[in-house]
Amino acid sequence: MSNVELLLIVVGMFLVTYGIRVTLFVGANRAEMPEWLDKALKFVPVSVLTAIIAPMALTNDNGLAVSLLNPWFVGALAALITGLVFKRQLLTISIGVVVFFLMKMVTGN
Amino acid sequence: MNSFQNAQRGALASIPMIIGGIPFGLLFGSLAAANDLSIWFAVAMSSIVFAGSAQFVALGLIAADAPLWVIILTTFVVNLRHILYAADLLRYVRHLPLKLRLLMGFGLIDETYAAVRPMYDMGSADKSNGHQVYIGSFLSFYLMWNITTIMGVLAGEFIPGLSEWGLEFAMVATFIGIVTPYLKSTPYWGAFAVAVVCSVVFRDMPNQMGLIVATLLAVATGYLLDTKASNKKAKEPARV
């Protein structure tokens, strides 16, 4: 690819990426959010963050990997239980990561 | 607390995700180099476009000689979820001057949304200092992303076995740490369950459309359960 083409890729990608991110922010002072939308949006954090990580924790290249031999699954499960019981973020992360790496060492996966 | 301390809190809250992002930054730089793309292109992507997953998709499309419009359209689709983040954050940014909103729009990435958005709910950020926390989070991530991109390019080729280290698990654990405090009522559990099932079922859809579909279905589920619960409450006779 020529340098001009690469430059156009950077510029084009920047325009759509920044456009998506900033458009609503630009009109934020004027925009009126309908009440139903406001109520729906509070479910965005849980929904999107879960949807990002669930496939990482529950699947591998071969498909579903819900197995006690899968460090990703076991680590995520440990973090989930810790989070639900103690509701302390740092503890949740630490336990999840420790369990994950222990499982990786034990299973050699 | 002054603005620097608030920015520091944002950076601190982002540390697990910054660690989780390191392999991706290195991988992006080394893949760019492996595809014979110049260091300037890699750095321009990370510093100007600043969109993790879209950058990887673009590398693949460039390698496949895809035309420009396909690359740009794909970028659009991959980044669509950011509209949801922006809509959700509107209530916390609408009072800020335009200049700040323009800057915050540039830094609206998964990690900063994940780190900062719950802080508004938990009371550790509010309308007066939230933007400082936000900027601290995104600048620290931005710094890591660009440094690791350069390191990846300079390392020249694929760093052996990097994708098998499992550093990305830090992101999984962090997101779980963010999500669990929300799981206190049926609507949130419903959204969580639908997100888990649908993201796994739809994971093979192209361009992360599965992520977007799963998110929308989960949000709709949460909203419907919530509406149902409040209707029920409204119908119950008032206890005086």
Side-chain angles (χ1 to χ4, degrees):
Chain A
M1 269 201 199
S2 72
N3 281 335
V4 177
E5 281 174 295
L6 291 176
L7 181 70
L8 285 176
I9 289 175
V10 171
V11 172
M13 285 183 68
F14 165 73
L15 289 178
V16 286
T17 304
Y18 188 52
I20 286 174
R21 289 174 180 169
V22 88
T23 304
L24 287 177
F25 278 8
V26 168
N29 50 337
R30 285 173 274 122
E32 272 303 325
M33 197 64 89
E35 201 190 328
W36 68 268
L37 188 57
D38 218 38
K39 277 188 178 160
L41 284 171
K42 69 178 184 193
F43 293 100
V44 171
V46 168
S47 302
V48 73
L49 300 181
T50 306
I52 289 175
I53 57 169
M56 298 170 79
L58 302 176
T59 68
N60 60 20
D61 294 341
N62 306 320
L64 212 57
V66 182
S67 145
L68 290 180
L69 292 174
N70 175 6
W72 291 82
F73 173 67
V74 179
L77 191 66
L80 183 68
I81 293 169
T82 311
L84 289 174
V85 174
F86 298 101
K87 302 195 190 311
R88 300 188 56 100
Q89 203 193 359
L90 211 53
L91 187 71
T92 306
I93 300 170
S94 316
I95 296 214
V97 168
V98 168
V99 169
F100 170 77
F101 280 109
L102 282 178
M103 282 298 295
K104 250 179 108 64
M105 276 174 10
V106 172
T107 61
N109 278 335
Chain B
M1 243 186 279
N2 64 32
S3 48
F4 182 71
Q5 284 167 319
N6 286 324
Q8 249 180 345
R9 286 196 298 126
L12 275 176
S14 311
I15 284 179
M17 285 174 275
I18 289 174
I19 294 173
I22 287 174
F24 290 107
L26 291 171
L27 204 59
F28 176 74
S30 55
L31 279 177
N35 279 299
D36 282 329
L37 295 162
S38 73
I39 186 165
W40 300 115
F41 178 73
V43 171
M45 287 281 264
S46 287
S47 60
I48 298 172
V49 180
F50 189 44
S53 32
Q55 289 178 223
F56 281 98
V57 175
L59 280 189
L61 291 173
I62 291 170
D65 258 332
L68 179 66
W69 69 269
V70 170
I71 297 177
I72 292 177
L73 189 67
T74 310
T75 304
F76 179 79
V77 176
V78 169
N79 285 332
L80 266 184
R81 65 186 182 285
H82 295 140
I83 289 182
L84 284 177
Y85 301 168
D88 185 33
L89 287 171
L90 270 191
R91 68 196 94 183
Y92 303 116
V93 305
R94 62 169 82 236
H95 65 291
L96 297 169
L98 180 63
K99 264 190 203 162
L100 266 179
R101 281 183 274 137
L102 290 177
L103 175 68
M104 289 170 76
F106 181 74
L108 187 55
I109 54 172
D110 295 321
E111 289 79 1
T112 290
Y113 176 77
V116 178
R117 175 61 181 82
M119 292 171 77
Y120 286 107
D121 283 333
M122 312 301 164
S124 45
D126 56 38
K127 280 186 178 172
S128 71
N129 62 23
H131 59 288
Q132 295 159 352
V133 177
Y134 181 106
I135 289 168
S137 162
F138 116 67
L139 281 184
S140 52
F141 199 88
Y142 186 76
L143 201 63
M144 176 284 289
W145 188 243
N146 282 281
I147 291 174
T148 52
T149 297
I150 295 171
M151 284 169 57
V153 176
L154 295 180
E157 54 192 40
F158 218 73
I159 296 172
L162 184 74
S163 54
E164 279 146 40
W165 293 2
L167 289 180
E168 310 94 290
F169 187 82
M171 189 170 90
V172 176
T174 309
F175 282 16
I176 293 173
I178 291 168
V179 165
T180 41
Y182 283 100
L183 299 178
K184 281 181 295 203
S185 63
T186 320
Y188 282 104
W189 273 107
F192 174 76
V194 170
V196 168
V197 173
C198 292
S199 64
V200 169
V201 170
F202 299 137
R203 74 164 190 152
D204 291 326
M205 284 174 77
N207 297 327
Q208 304 198 359
M209 278 309 288
L211 169 60
I212 295 165
V213 173
T215 302
L216 290 176
L217 288 174
V219 169
T221 306
Y223 173 72
L224 291 177
L225 290 173
D226 199 24
T227 320
K228 222 173 126 194
S230 44
N231 283 348
K232 208 170 160 193
K233 217 175 266 172
K235 273 183 203 147
E236 277 169 15
R239 269 169 268 169
V240 186

